[in-house]
Amino acid sequence: TALSADLSNQLGAQAPLGFFDPLGCVADGDQENFDRLRWVELKHGRISMLAVVGYLTTYAGVRFPGAEDIPSGFAALDAIPGMVWAQMIATWTMM
């Protein structure tokens, strides 16, 4: 059995909520699971920030060579050449 850790002293636990875990993901007090969930949250936050920067860069008009005629936003989905779709699907499959 794992020892129950006191998570109320963790970074981010502050007044008025204290340690806030509304879904009960770490209700058992497992420090290892808590550390993993914290790492996953940071990773997803960083990926989301990169996605926003990519969207804003494309919206500002910055394009890769050969893709200058592709519009920004969701309008780009109709203008993407077939070979680009094939490359994306191949990349997703390899992941």
Side-chain angles (χ1 to χ4, degrees):
T1 63
L3 295 175
S4 182
D6 182 21
L7 300 175
S8 63
N9 296 327
Q10 291 291 329
L11 182 67
Q14 55 190 348
L17 297 177
F19 179 69
F20 186 66
D21 184 23
L23 298 178
C25 294
V26 288
D28 58 353
D30 184 12
Q31 183 69 39
E32 196 172 310
N33 185 34
F34 176 78
D35 292 339
R36 185 190 148 282
L37 289 174
R38 179 171 275 182
W39 179 80
V40 168
E41 182 180 8
L42 286 172
K43 182 179 77 166
H44 289 150
R46 290 172 181 155
I47 291 171
S48 298
M49 288 186 277
L50 283 173
V52 168
V53 168
Y55 181 82
L56 293 174
T57 302
T58 311
Y59 192 77
V62 178
R63 301 284 192 273
F64 286 114
E68 293 87 5
D69 57 337
I70 296 178
S72 61
F74 288 113
L77 294 175
D78 295 331
I80 295 177
M83 282 307 295
V84 174
W85 280 112
Q87 290 173 3
M88 287 193 317
I89 291 171
T91 302
W92 295 336
T93 304
M94 288 188 288
M95 293 166 121

